[in-house]
Amino acid sequence: MNNLNPQLHDQSGKMTNTRWFFTAFPLLVLFTVSMMDKANINILLANKPFLTDLGIDGNLVKGTLSSIFLVTYAFGQLAWGFIVDKIGALRSGFIGIALWAFAMVLGGMADSISAILWSRAILGIGEGVLYPMALKLTSSWFPQNEQAKAQTTWYNGNAIGPVLGLPLIAIIASTYGWRESYFILAALSVVCLILFLIMTRDNPAKHYAVNSMELNYIQSNQKVGGTPTASKDNVKAVLANPMFWVLTIVYSCISIAYYGISTFLPSYLTEEKGIAFVNSAVINAGGFALAIIVQVVAGFLSDRFMKRAIFVGGACGLIIIFMLFSLFTANSTVAAVLSILLIGLLFMPAALTMTMLHRVSSPEVMGSISGVFGCVSYLIAALGPMVVGLFSQMSGSYNGGFIALLCFVALSLFLSVFLVRKGY
């Protein structure tokens, strides 16, 4: 191996923990800020100056602004997956983060709906680098007995982002203006880019802060649990593995539930449970805060027992129970508590399902595999809000739409039982 770090030859002292501070932490920051960038439009769609300045009128246009991101985000992951494997996570991250920072600047300068649509589309393409890049780095930097903890660490940015971002964006937009919210988020994205370039490297052998003890620890434990070896020409072999598609279906069904529920839950609580708008926002923030705790605990326990699918299946079962009780309770306080529990659990299965990807792919092709995985999953996830809207309209209430979503969660539960039997 070509060691670029002189510290690798130093056998004295304690093992460094570069993988956590220099890899997991920058990824956590990136996912946090990226989630704030994505959530910006959701807040602004309730901001009258924003709607007036751009002539936005009607739910169709609003829905399109959300959908265009998911579509380009899905295809972006597919493309970035192969790019990450070809040029590395560091260079891919530089291009992708710079692209989404540009998208936020474009949004702040927009004077028409089409400009905002372009901003959202470019944002989706830029942020599409995140999962292939993060999975590639996790695969290279962490042994198998730490991969769930590592992935739940950076995946928690998806929960921290809304907790911090929703009130921050609302305050900025109401105090200074909606354009300023875009520009401030663009500046934060640039800071993330600089942080990422300074701290992160493609693999531990190239990092200036890694010593030989940590490198040996990482490399000696990366094959635990039967991870298959694969060459760069072996992407087709992984895609031919039925277990890859089982994991993709599990993740897709959970994603449908997440986007369907999170899109309509505030309206559901306000319209059908009589909860005030501000309180519904607090309930959502509380759910995301709980999700952070749930993911940390689940990541630690699943690494300890090396059983991911049990936790995924357990979460799916509880999601079904909490959703059904929430739908059929007349008590608004009970509905609020159940909603917090629901949001808190919706995040966890996704991170652990991605962790199981390391069982079917090697670091050499992880970028490409995660790109295919993410593209298929998010294209299917885009159906979530449509499913709720269609079945709610047909049934005359949100209950019909949410129950339809639970069918997808039930499929994830069934497949999780299958994964448990296969030793995942």
Side-chain angles (χ1 to χ4, degrees), residues 45-229:
L45 288 177
N47 181 265
K48 290 184 177 179
F50 174 75
L51 299 176
T52 301
D53 289 348
L54 298 180
I56 298 175
D57 185 22
N59 289 333
L60 179 60
V61 176
K62 294 179 181 179
T64 302
L65 289 173
S66 297
S67 297
I68 190 66
F69 170 83
L70 284 174
V71 172
T72 58
Y73 190 51
F75 285 112
Q77 288 188 57
L78 178 63
W80 280 115
F82 291 93
I83 295 172
V84 167
D85 278 341
K86 187 172 183 61
I87 69 173
L90 187 65
R91 279 189 275 185
S92 299
F94 170 76
I95 299 170
I97 300 166
L99 198 58
W100 97 51
F102 168 74
M104 298 308 290
V105 173
L106 181 62
M109 298 173 61
D111 57 3
S112 65
I113 296 175
S114 62
I116 290 293
L117 284 170
W118 275 108
S119 171
R120 294 292 292 175
I122 295 172
L123 181 66
I125 295 171
E127 290 198 359
V129 76
L130 278 173
Y131 283 107
M133 176 185 72
L135 284 165
K136 182 79 169 181
L137 289 171
T138 302
S139 184
S140 300
W141 273 89
F142 292 89
Q144 281 205 352
N145 62 309
E146 291 183 350
Q147 285 174 351
K149 290 192 290 289
Q151 291 192 187
T152 52
T153 295
W154 53 256
Y155 196 85
N156 264 329
N158 290 321
I160 298 172
V163 172
L164 299 178
L166 293 179
L168 176 64
I169 294 167
I171 292 172
I172 294 172
S174 61
T175 304
Y176 302 102
W178 65 267
R179 295 185 187 277
E180 282 70 16
S181 71
Y182 269 103
F183 294 141
I184 290 176
L185 288 175
L188 283 176
S189 299
V190 172
V191 171
C192 286
L193 175 58
I194 296 172
L195 180 73
F196 178 72
L197 292 177
I198 292 174
M199 299 184 71
T200 308
R201 295 295 181 269
D202 285 323
N203 62 69
K206 295 181 179 180
H207 203 284
Y208 53 87
V210 175
N211 67 9
S212 58
M213 294 177 65
E214 183 176 13
L215 181 66
N216 291 335
Y217 171 72
I218 294 171
Q219 294 179 339
S220 63
N221 290 283
Q222 282 186 326
K223 300 302 181 184
V224 175
T227 299
T229 57

Side-chain angles (χ1 to χ4, degrees), residues 250 254 257 261 294-295 298 308-323 341-353 406 409-410 412-414 416:
V250 171
I254 289 296
I261 291 173
V294 170
Q295 287 194 105
R308 326 289 192 195
I310 291 177
F311 292 90
V312 173
C316 290
L318 290 174
I319 288 169
I320 293 172
I321 293 171
F322 292 152
M323 188 79 257
L341 294 173
L342 186 65
I343 297 172
L345 284 169
L346 274 170
F347 265 87
M348 184 262 282
L352 293 188
T353 303
L406 293 185
V409 182
S412 287
L413 173 58
F414 172 78
S416 295

